[in-house]
């Protein structure tokens, strides 16, 4: 996670073993479309991608057809501070 000022940006760093803690929300297709618009998918700000889970929350049905998504920041983070580092 990088600080982008008023909000964070999650970037994919395949060589990193870092993990991010988040929340899982159930939304319908209309809600997902609103989130996509809010996150700026059409502007190329973020991309929505499947989220690998390191743990399955106890209240998430195993074998569920639901997909867990996350939004990855697509722009340059050079000069931005990483969150969670001293």
């Amino acid at each position: 996670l990088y600080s982008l000022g008023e909000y964070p940006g999650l970037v994919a760093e395949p060589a990193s073993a870092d993990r991010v803690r988040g929340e899982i929300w159930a939304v319908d297709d209309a809600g997902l479309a609103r989130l996509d618009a809010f996150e700026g998918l059409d502007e190329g700000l973020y991309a929505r991608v499947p989220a690998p889970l390191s743990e399955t929350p106890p209240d998430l049905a195993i074998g569920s057809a639901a997909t867990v998504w996350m939004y990855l920041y697509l722009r340059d983070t050079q000069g931005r501070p990483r969150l969670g580092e001293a």
Side-chain angles (χ1 to χ4, degrees):
L1 281 175
Y2 287 85
S3 174
L4 304 176
E6 295 184 21
Y7 55 91
L10 176 66
V11 297
E13 293 181 352
S16 175
D18 291 347
R19 300 197 187 277
V20 175
R21 184 178 299 251
E23 296 179 3
I24 299 174
W25 292 56
V27 297
D28 59 16
D29 289 340
L32 195 54
R34 287 192 300 274
L35 284 169
D36 288 349
F38 178 79
E39 296 293 350
L41 267 64
D42 290 343
E43 303 163 38
L45 188 59
Y46 284 86
R48 179 169 38 96
V49 299
L53 299 177
S54 59
E55 299 176 11
T56 301
D59 55 342
L60 184 67
I62 296 176
S64 169
T67 301
V68 177
W69 299 100
M70 63 183 172
Y71 290 91
L72 292 181
Y73 185 66
L74 298 177
R75 298 203 177 150
D76 186 20
T77 56
Q78 188 169 350
R80 302 282 188 172
R82 284 181 59 122
L83 297 173
E85 290 187 347

